[in-house]
Amino acid sequence: MKIIKKSKSLNTKMNQKWLDSAGVKHFWMIWRFKFLLNLLKSQRIFCNKKMKIMDLGCGNGILSNQLENKFNIKIDRVDSNSETLKLNKNIKGKLICYNIKNKNIKLKNKYDIIFLFDVIEHVSNDKLFLKNTLFHLKNDGFLIINVPSIQKLFSKYDHAVGHLRRYGKKDFLLLTNKINLKVLFMKYWGFSLLPILLIRKIILSFYKKTDYNKIVDSGWKTNTILNNLLKIIMYIELKLNKNSLIGSSLMLVLKK
């Protein structure tokens, strides 16, 4: 395990309570990963030990753990917040505290795949952030992104966890055209969650905007019954609704 000297933090905000409660058994974490696996299979992207892979903005490292366990690989977990990195467990690869805008020459064109999951919605200048990310990606490397979608669903929950925006396909097409990235895959997922997000927005509208912990608790946490019910809905949607025209999240594969 290696920790690079801490750099100045990115212009991001992540609610600590969300990180603490975002467990691997949460239905949303499972859903996101299962959709990712289907994506990798459809795009014939095979993660293996020979690849250099980065989980950028890794947070508590759940995605890295899922990928390492599934494919028996090692992943560099990168975040600019050293306290966030301490939440990582069962680490197989490197743990790196690093701000990508510093563009360490040793990391130039190093990675075959960079995962950027639920990060750029926290960043004020997403175009510059993506350009800085590409510095670290090999030519013909893959940048795989997940973001929350549909700006009209932006709520006090988004504000509490540090989201600055939610995305649609058109937003990403404009963004990728500006930085000359090729879009290989772009699909929504979580169609069945849309009514829940709408209800959440309505309920949380009655909360004080500064009640971050209460908002995150109400907007994210589930009990065992609800979590299992939503996992059943997940399995049904993944089986029957493979081409949603809209969804609660958007996942993309971009090629440098």
Side-chain angles (χ1 to χ4, degrees):
M1 182 176 72
K2 182 180 180 182
I3 300 180
I4 292 179
K5 185 178 178 181
K6 184 177 179 183
S7 305
K8 292 181 180 178
S9 295
L10 297 169
N11 186 18
T12 63
K13 175 186 174 185
M14 174 63 78
N15 184 277
Q16 186 66 36
K17 192 172 184 64
W18 187 92
L19 284 169
D20 291 338
S21 62
V24 71
K25 294 182 179 180
H26 193 283
F27 79 91
W28 188 86
M29 290 295 185
I30 297 171
W31 198 332
R32 184 182 70 170
F33 187 60
K34 286 187 176 294
F35 190 84
L36 171 62
L37 293 180
N38 290 338
L39 177 160
L40 295 174
K41 184 177 179 180
S42 70
Q43 299 301 305
R44 299 183 63 81
I45 300 173
F46 305 106
C47 298
N48 59 65
K49 293 180 179 180
K50 294 181 180 179
M51 286 182 166
K52 295 291 185 181
I53 302 174
M54 176 196 289
D55 180 5
L56 178 56
C58 64
N60 57 12
I62 285 181
L63 176 64
S64 290
N65 287 341
Q66 289 172 320
L67 289 165
E68 287 179 339
N69 292 335
K70 178 67 178 180
F71 298 108
N72 191 26
I73 56 177
K74 295 180 180 180
I75 292 179
D76 287 353
R77 306 174 187 215
V78 179
D79 204 293
S80 63
N81 189 323
S82 60
E83 294 303 310
T84 298
L85 286 171
K86 291 177 183 179
L87 298 173
N88 282 256
K89 299 177 182 179
N90 303 317
I91 303 156
K92 294 181 180 178
K94 295 178 182 178
L95 199 61
I96 303 173
C97 193
Y98 171 66
N99 191 324
I100 59 167
K101 74 179 183 181
N102 292 337
K103 295 183 178 179
N104 187 325
I105 194 65
K106 293 180 180 179
L107 300 179
K108 184 177 181 181
N109 300 330
K110 178 177 180 178
Y111 292 95
D112 299 282
I113 302 175
I114 296 179
F115 289 97
L116 194 55
F117 270 34
D118 302 287
V119 174
I120 66 170
E121 65 271 18
H122 297 269
V123 181
S124 57
N125 191 334
D126 51 3
K127 177 184 172 183
L128 178 60
F129 186 85
L130 286 177
K131 288 179 71 174
N132 290 337
T133 300
L134 295 179
F135 172 87
H136 304 79
L137 188 66
K138 290 180 180 179
N139 292 327
D140 293 326
F142 298 104
L143 177 60
I144 304 177
I145 297 175
N146 192 76
V147 289
S149 66
I150 310 176
Q151 183 61 24
K152 288 185 177 180
L153 290 174
F154 194 95
S155 69
K156 287 182 179 178
Y157 174 81
D158 291 278
H159 179 262
V161 296
H163 294 174
L164 301 179
R165 68 190 78 81
R166 301 176 72 94
Y167 288 88
K169 287 185 176 181
K170 289 183 179 179
D171 300 315
F172 255 102
L173 288 174
L174 289 171
L175 190 57
T176 53
N177 285 338
K178 291 177 181 178
I179 54 179
N180 197 27
L181 270 172
K182 183 179 180 181
V183 180
L184 301 182
F185 177 100
M186 181 165 54
K187 285 187 179 180
Y188 291 105
W189 63 272
F191 173 79
S192 307
L193 296 176
L194 293 177
I196 297 174
L197 264 63
L198 181 59
I199 293 170
R200 180 176 75 181
K201 179 175 181 176
I202 294 170
I203 292 174
L204 294 182
S205 67
F206 296 99
Y207 285 59
K208 291 183 179 180
K209 201 172 184 178
T210 54
D211 288 340
Y212 296 117
N213 289 342
K214 289 182 180 179
I215 289 171
V216 175
D217 272 342
S218 299
W220 174 257
K221 282 190 173 181
T222 61
N223 57 38
T224 301
I225 294 174
L226 181 58
N227 199 56
N228 288 335
L229 175 61
L230 289 167
K231 282 195 283 187
I232 292 172
I233 293 172
M234 169 195 74
Y235 284 113
I236 294 172
E237 179 171 318
L238 288 172
K239 185 72 174 178
L240 301 178
N241 188 18
K242 297 182 179 180
N243 292 292
S244 295
L245 296 176
I246 199 167
S248 62
S249 296
L250 179 65
M251 197 173 291
L252 309 93
V253 179
L254 308 174
K255 193 169 186 180
K256 186 175 177 180

